[in-house]
Amino acid sequence: MHEIRFYRANEKPYGAFSNLLKRAIEFEGEVFATAEHAYQAGKARKPAVRKWLMEAPSPSLLAMAAHGLYVWDIAEDWSKIKFDRMKRVLMAKFTQHEDLKSLLLSTGTARLVESATVDNSVNRLWGEVNGVGQNKLGALLMEVRAEILAAEPKARRKADVKSRADAPERAAAPRSRRRAAADAVSV
């Protein structure tokens, strides 16, 4: 199976799969600077900690700060909800930006792998380090890709039906203009 590996947001073209890509998304009624911001906003138990995280000067520093939170600063159910939250954040990111959606869909059936270089438990959870890890981010991206692809034909069919319904009007318009032009010439 073909694999596409990504890690740094500035690597072309697949760095766009990184949550650190500086592309705003709307999520849960709020606009976030990056997917990482939207994801980590759900991690903090206390509003003051959430505010502190959101004010991080860069997405990478936000991620570092969030990974270093004390257990009492993390939402009680975080370990149960974090993967669902990440998937919803990814769905928002890739449905709100047509170019990112096109890039994701262009990967076809390739296995997507966040390929980190620093060996730690976070990198082995969300990606792989030297081929070892759970690659949760890659798996969620592949799920989002499949769901978007499954929804695409339905959207296309609706557009095709609307297009066919509008077709007689569009086809009639040129003939009307031609008739009007012919009438003007014969007058």
Side-chain angles (χ1 to χ4, degrees):
M1 172 182 269
H2 176 65
E3 283 189 348
I4 294 174
R5 295 184 168 269
F6 64 93
Y7 187 63
R8 298 197 190 312
N10 63 353
E11 295 171 345
K12 301 291 181 201
Y14 300 112
F17 297 157
S18 168
N19 288 328
L20 306 183
L21 179 71
K22 292 182 181 176
R23 193 68 78 89
I25 66 164
E26 185 177 336
F27 183 72
E28 296 181 337
E30 191 173 343
V31 176
F32 293 94
T34 67
E36 188 70 18
H37 284 80
Y39 171 72
Q40 297 294 0
K43 188 173 189 175
R45 181 182 299 200
K46 303 171 190 167
V49 174
R50 182 184 191 274
K51 182 179 183 305
W52 176 74
L53 287 172
M54 295 300 104
E55 292 173 348
S58 72
S60 57
L61 289 175
L62 162 66
M64 288 170 47
H67 295 310
L69 290 178
Y70 291 114
V71 69
W72 55 82
D73 286 328
I74 299 173
E76 278 184 53
D77 57 351
W78 184 245
S79 64
K80 295 175 186 159
I81 66 164
K82 66 184 178 182
F83 299 117
D84 177 64
R85 183 177 182 88
M86 179 62 80
K87 184 174 178 181
R88 291 183 299 116
V89 165
L90 293 171
M91 186 60 79
K93 175 180 174 179
F94 288 97
T95 56
Q96 291 173 21
H97 299 284
E98 279 299 317
D99 60 326
L100 298 181
K101 179 168 77 171
S102 294
L103 180 65
L104 181 61
L105 295 180
S106 77
T107 63
T109 59
R111 180 172 181 259
L112 304 179
V113 182
E114 183 182 46
S115 187
T117 55
V118 175
D119 191 5
N120 61 43
S121 61
V122 172
N123 287 345
R124 287 190 313 276
L125 172 67
W126 289 107
E128 293 181 357
V129 180
N130 299 322
V132 177
Q134 296 181 50
N135 191 35
K136 292 289 191 180
L137 181 59
L140 291 172
L141 282 166
M142 291 182 284
E143 286 179 28
V144 166
R145 176 181 65 195
E147 288 178 23
I148 291 173
L149 198 55
E152 286 286 301
K154 292 175 190 168
R156 281 193 199 120
R157 279 195 300 270
K158 285 180 185 174
D160 287 346
V161 168
K162 181 171 175 19
S163 175
R164 277 186 249 125
D166 292 344
E169 292 173 20
R170 283 193 304 250
R175 277 186 256 135
S176 298
R177 280 187 229 119
R178 277 182 268 164
R179 266 191 238 120
D183 291 344
V185 170
S186 64
V187 170

